[in-house]
Structure formats: structure tokens, C-alpha cells
Amino acid sequence: MGITYRRLEQRDLGTFIQMRIAQLREEGAEEDIDLAPALRDYYERHLSDGTFVSWLALDGERIVGTSGMSFVEKPPYFACPSGRMGLLSSMFTAPEYRRKGIARELLTRVVDEARKYGCGTVQITASDMGVKLYTSFGFVKNQNFMQYRL
């Protein structure tokens, strides 16, 4: 297996979006709209302004793994005095490539991007499948997270 890694580029968005939707389906998300246009709009805007970065894993020319980090800022707090946070998303590896260290390498690369951006913390809403990876990497579960849907 000759896996290579590189950053996401605009030309990759079609495949990247397909893989993001596959990930959401696999995690059991309710699919009641065509999400592709909204994803394309988000990625195009945030790739161009530097507030979203992604590393890809490739086997030859085929994208077999994805990662994503959105950078947001909120008022500083004690655990994150910079106020800059990384929101981890789009962690997905094609089923036949799992358990080979690809997700860990992608995670390492996007966490490094968050560090370079000046983030004081990285957050993720982890799927059951991802919890083992994230905890072994050093992520700690936070029981305080709540969400209100508008």
C-alpha cells in the first residue's frame, strides 16, 4: 500500500463532498435534503479564506481518506485563552482502507494545522467508531456540550 497525503484543493471537492455524505450516512444521519450544494458553498468559501483545511489520503489518484478542520473564534476562556478553536470534521476512511493508520495520520496533520492557526483547543462530535482513535490520540470527552437546533 503506497498511501500518500496532500491538502485538499478545489479540484477535489466533488469527491470530497461525496465522501462527506457517505460518512454522514454511515453515522446514521437523517437525509432529508440534498446537502451537496450547501457543502460545496461552505468548502469553497472557507478553503479560500483559510478557515477550513483538509488533508487527504490517496492510493494512487484515488482519495481513500479525508479529514477537515474548521477554524472558529469565540471569546477567550480559561481553557482556551486565544479563543481560537478547531472544529474537527470529515474524518472518513474508505472501508477497505480502515485499521491501517490512515485516520491517525490524517488526524495528526489537521491537528497540526490547528496548532499553526493558533487554536487553543480542538473539538469533535465523535461517532462511535471514532471514539477509540480520538481517545488514544488524547481527546477527552466533555459532558457539558449541548446543542439547540434552530
Side-chain angles (χ1 to χ4, degrees):
M1 177 175 67
I3 301 298
T4 59
Y5 298 88
R6 69 171 171 79
R7 285 181 70 161
L8 174 71
E9 299 172 1
Q10 291 278 344
R11 65 185 167 104
D12 304 313
L13 283 179
T15 302
F16 186 80
I17 290 166
Q18 289 173 357
M19 292 180 81
R20 174 67 173 153
I21 291 170
Q23 172 199 1
L24 294 170
R25 286 177 180 148
E26 190 174 278
E27 291 173 354
E30 262 187 55
E31 191 172 342
D32 52 356
I33 61 165
D34 178 9
L35 196 56
L39 286 169
R40 179 169 292 280
D41 175 65
Y42 177 87
Y43 294 132
E44 285 177 350
R45 285 185 295 113
H46 293 282
L47 274 172
S48 66
D49 73 8
T51 58
F52 179 80
V53 66
S54 168
W55 279 85
L56 307 174
L58 296 103
D59 185 356
E61 294 296 313
R62 180 181 174 210
I63 299 171
V64 298
T66 63
S67 65
M69 186 71 72
S70 298
F71 302 122
V72 299
E73 191 169 353
K74 61 189 228 178
Y77 56 102
F78 290 116
C80 184
S82 72
R84 290 182 176 189
M85 299 173 55
L87 302 179
L88 185 60
S89 67
S90 305
M91 292 293 299
F92 184 78
T93 305
E96 64 272 26
Y97 288 85
R98 292 179 182 162
R99 316 271 329 140
K100 300 179 188 303
I102 292 170
R104 178 170 293 279
E105 179 64 26
L106 290 169
L107 180 58
T108 299
R109 289 172 184 250
V110 292
V111 166
D112 189 50
E113 296 281 353
R115 191 175 287 110
K116 290 176 189 172
Y117 193 81
C119 294
T121 188
V122 172
Q123 295 182 353
I124 185 170
T125 303
S127 67
D128 291 341
M129 192 176 356
V131 169
K132 186 176 178 182
L133 168 67
Y134 303 125
T135 55
S136 72
F137 196 86
F139 282 74
V140 177
K141 206 169 190 136
N142 179 344
Q143 300 298 331
N144 292 328
F145 180 78
M146 298 177 72
Q147 178 171 300
Y148 180 75
R149 188 170 182 175
L150 300 175

